[in-house]
Amino acid sequence: MKTQLINARDAARTIAHLLSDNEQSFTPRPLNRFSPEESRWWVIPSSEWPAYQYGKYTFWVENNTLCCGLGIEKGLEPKVALLYSKGKPSPLALDKEWAWYGFLDSLKSGELAEVFSLIEDHIERPVQLEISIHPLRDRGDFNRYETRFDQNETPFDQIRFSSTSNQLSITTDEITNPDFNALKKISSLADLYKILTSDLLAWFWVDFNIWVPFKLPEEGDNPQDLWSAWDITERILLPLGRWVHK
């Protein structure tokens, strides 16, 4: 599949405009504001920043491929956050306003599996998942978005899956911490729920992304043969939109 969109910034700005109306506005944001051309971009259902608590539409380019989908962030468990911030309130602490909890409920109930099946019908190929697990630094004023691109950032673990009929197969394994080896045994969304709700991840920040890859356009392509911003929005992003709201 190919798209008319030329990069992540183009995708985020165009789709934010398509989604915004009198009732809800969406804001395109680069994850790395110092290098927006190379950065992942988010479309957020708010103008707030940071926007940890919100589900977000996410876009990034790798290997001449534009990845389009949903991003959910898991912060720190409240008790862990208090220890981390030395007893002070922390914006990194999970609470009932975070999209993470509703996302887990949908994973448990089978709603996410239904959305996956719908998207797979639309694109006639697998949906992709990415789980990135980040240790946090020992500083109370830590801002995930300001320091993520620091050259001295602590390495993180990542694993990717391809989902077909709600069965998962590993496509990329960059797990180096043996404590996370259980992720390598996941074969279904039900297995994934058990891992994401375990104590294993309480001390870690988790980025969870669901996406579909599109090849970038080339000279000579017929625009009518390419997926437009509206095609991607209607067939992929709107089904995921139940986790993107204020």
Side-chain angles (χ1 to χ4, degrees):
M1 297 186 300
K2 280 188 175 182
T3 178
Q4 298 173 6
L5 298 167
I6 59 174
N7 54 44
R9 178 165 59 181
D10 177 40
R13 289 178 171 177
T14 303
I15 288 172
H17 178 73
L18 282 176
L19 291 169
S20 296
D21 55 29
N22 292 333
E23 297 182 359
Q24 174 73 72
S25 62
F26 289 82
T27 305
R29 294 276 194 184
L31 181 54
N32 180 3
R33 64 187 178 90
F34 301 107
S35 185
E37 294 81 9
E38 288 79 34
S39 175
R40 290 194 185 209
W41 279 73
W42 283 332
V43 170
I44 302 166
S46 169
S47 59
E48 293 180 47
W49 193 254
Y52 306 125
Q53 71 270 36
Y54 295 115
K56 312 162 185 68
Y57 297 115
T58 183
F59 309 91
W60 73 94
V61 172
E62 59 179 55
N63 300 324
N64 201 42
T65 298
L66 176 65
C67 303
C68 307
L70 170 73
I72 302 282
E73 296 182 86
K74 174 207 161 290
L76 298 178
E77 300 295 337
K79 292 182 179 178
V80 173
L82 281 175
L83 291 172
Y84 179 80
S85 61
K86 300 178 181 179
K88 299 178 181 178
S90 172
L92 306 179
L94 284 165
D95 64 31
K96 63 181 182 179
E97 302 299 324
W98 284 56
W100 179 255
Y101 288 127
F103 177 74
L104 290 180
D105 289 342
S106 298
L107 182 56
K108 181 180 181 180
S109 69
E111 183 181 12
L112 182 63
E114 293 175 1
V115 171
F116 272 31
S117 295
L118 177 62
I119 294 175
E120 287 174 26
D121 287 343
H122 287 165
I123 64 176
E124 299 181 342
R125 62 191 61 201
V127 175
Q128 308 299 313
L129 288 77
E130 175 187 80
I131 303 171
S132 301
I133 306 170
H134 302 260
L136 298 187
R137 294 176 177 173
D138 186 17
R139 48 179 287 195
D141 61 346
F142 184 77
N143 182 326
R144 289 288 300 142
Y145 305 155
E146 293 296 332
T147 61
R148 183 174 296 192
F149 289 86
D150 191 310
Q151 292 182 350
N152 297 318
E153 182 187 12
T154 304
F156 62 91
D157 293 82
Q158 185 180 91
I159 191 167
R160 289 179 169 183
F161 299 91
S162 181
S163 173
T164 303
S165 300
N166 298 314
Q167 296 301 303
L168 305 182
S169 56
I170 295 174
T171 58
T172 304
D173 177 359
E174 296 180 357
I175 299 294
T176 58
N177 185 335
D179 291 342
F180 303 141
N181 281 343
L183 288 165
K184 302 180 183 183
K185 300 177 182 179
I186 290 175
S187 61
S188 68
L189 292 177
D191 294 339
L192 181 61
Y193 175 79
K194 294 176 184 177
I195 294 294
L196 295 181
T197 55
S198 70
D199 292 336
L200 177 67
L201 301 176
W203 289 86
F204 296 88
W205 191 276
V206 177
D207 291 326
F208 190 98
N209 292 299
I210 299 165
W211 86 95
V212 174
F214 292 88
K215 289 295 183 183
L216 294 173
E218 299 174 293
E219 186 176 355
D221 285 337
N222 184 345
Q224 294 183 347
D225 296 333
L226 308 181
W227 282 58
S228 67
W230 177 246
D231 293 332
I232 292 172
T233 300
E234 183 179 36
R235 301 181 197 178
I236 297 169
L237 301 182
L238 289 182
L240 295 168
R242 63 199 71 192
W243 299 290
V244 184
H245 56 81
K246 196 168 182 180

